[in-house]
Amino acid sequence: MVLNYDDPITREMAKKATARPVMFSRLEELDEGIVLRGDTFIIKEDGKELPVCTTSEIKLLGSHNHENILAAIGITYYMGVPVEQIRDAVMKFTAVEHRIEYVDTVDGVDYYNDSKGTNPDAAIKGISAMTKPTILLGGGYDKKSAYDEWIDAFHGKVRYLIVMGATAQAIADTAKNHGFHNVIFADTFEEAMNIAKEKARPGDAVLLSPACASWGMFKNYEVRGKVFKEIVRKFKG
C-alpha cells in the first residue's frame, strides 16, 4: 500500500489524521484506539471493535515491531484507509534487510539475519524477538563492549551460542559467568553456519545477531548479512 501525497484527497486525509491523536498500546486495554489483545491487533472506536490481523499472520517479530504496527494501523485507519487494505499491507510487510530479517526455512529450521545487531543493546532486541528455541551466532570485532545484559536476555531461548572472531573468548567467559555453558567456538563464519545447521532441530530458529561489528571478518554488517543469506540458500540447495 503506497499513499500518494501529491494527490489532494490524500493530503486532506493526512491533514484530518494528524489533527486527531492516535492512541495505541501493546500492554494496556484502551477504551478507544489501537490495541494488541493477546495476539490480535484491534481497532476500538465508538464502542466497536475491528480485528485487523494476528501476530502469527505478520512477517515481523518482536514487541518493538508490534508497537510500530499499532502506530501504523492507527495512522492509516484515521486517514480513511479501509481496514482490508491495512490488513493486507501489514501482513505483506517484511523486515528491513539485516534487521531480524526472515531469510528462509530449511529442514524445518527458520533462519533470521540480524547482522545489524552490531552491539549488545541491538542484539538484545534480536534474541527477544525469537519465539522458538534458538541457535545464536555471535562475535566479531572487539569494541570493548560488555555482554552481560545480552547473555541475560537469552531467558532460556538459546540452545547453543556459537562464537567467532576477536570477541569469542570474552563472550564465552561472560556466558559462563552467567551460567550459560552451551558455547561452541568457530574459526570462520562458514564453520559457524555449518555448526548451526548441525545443531538445529526442526522447530528451531538460527539467528545471526552478533552483538559485535563485522570488521576483521567482513567489510561491514551488510556483507556479513548477505553471506549469511547466501549460505542459507546453499543449505536449501
Side-chain angles (χ1 to χ4, degrees):
M1 178 176 61
V2 178
L3 297 176
N4 178 14
Y5 286 93
D6 292 328
D7 179 66
I9 297 177
T10 301
R11 287 202 303 270
E12 183 62 24
M13 290 165 59
K15 184 178 179 181
K16 290 179 180 178
T18 54
R20 178 175 185 172
V22 177
M23 303 296 293
F24 65 91
S25 177
R26 179 176 60 87
L27 301 175
E28 298 181 20
E29 185 68 41
L30 304 176
D31 292 332
E32 186 162 309
I34 320 302
V35 299
L36 179 60
R37 182 190 300 154
D39 66 348
T40 304
F41 297 95
I42 300 172
I43 300 168
K44 299 180 68 176
E45 184 180 40
D46 299 330
K48 298 179 181 179
E49 295 188 357
L50 299 172
V52 179
C53 62
T54 65
T55 55
S56 63
E57 294 174 313
I58 63 176
K59 295 181 171 62
L60 300 181
L61 296 179
S63 58
H64 62 295
N65 279 322
H66 295 164
E67 290 173 353
N68 290 337
I69 290 170
L70 287 166
I73 291 172
I75 292 169
T76 52
Y77 178 73
Y78 293 133
M79 286 178 68
V81 178
V83 174
E84 292 75 16
Q85 291 187 29
I86 296 173
R87 179 185 296 114
D88 186 62
V90 169
M91 291 173 59
K92 288 181 178 178
F93 190 83
T94 57
V96 176
E97 189 176 18
H98 311 302
R99 197 69 187 97
I100 320 179
E101 174 194 9
Y102 169 72
V103 179
D104 210 334
T105 300
V106 182
D107 297 330
V109 177
D110 295 339
Y111 287 80
Y112 289 92
N113 164 31
D114 191 38
S115 185
K116 202 174 187 303
T118 58
N119 60 66
D121 287 341
I124 286 172
K125 290 184 173 61
I127 192 59
S128 296
M130 293 295 104
T131 59
K132 297 181 177 183
T134 301
I135 315 298
L136 177 61
L137 280 68
Y141 180 79
D142 191 357
K143 295 193 289 185
K144 307 302 180 183
S145 298
Y147 303 105
D148 302 82
E149 292 184 6
W150 179 47
I151 302 297
D152 285 341
F154 289 3
H155 295 310
K157 295 180 182 180
V158 178
R159 290 186 55 233
Y160 289 96
L161 170 61
I162 304 170
V163 293
M164 66 200 103
T167 58
Q169 189 62 58
I171 292 173
D173 290 344
T174 303
K176 182 178 179 181
N177 290 339
H178 286 257
F180 185 89
H181 301 283
N182 287 351
V183 180
I184 303 173
F185 287 83
D187 292 328
T188 66
F189 190 80
E190 290 75 12
E191 182 185 4
M193 290 291 291
N194 286 330
I195 294 172
K197 183 176 184 297
E198 176 187 332
K199 293 295 184 181
R201 304 179 299 209
D204 285 355
V206 171
L207 171 67
L208 168 66
S209 190
C212 300
S214 60
W215 309 317
M217 300 181 74
F218 299 96
K219 179 181 178 181
N220 52 46
Y221 74 84
E222 290 99 333
V223 174
R224 178 171 59 189
K226 290 183 184 299
V227 171
F228 177 86
K229 293 194 286 186
E230 289 171 1
I231 294 175
V232 173
R233 284 192 286 268
K234 289 179 182 177
F235 287 166
K236 193 159 188 177

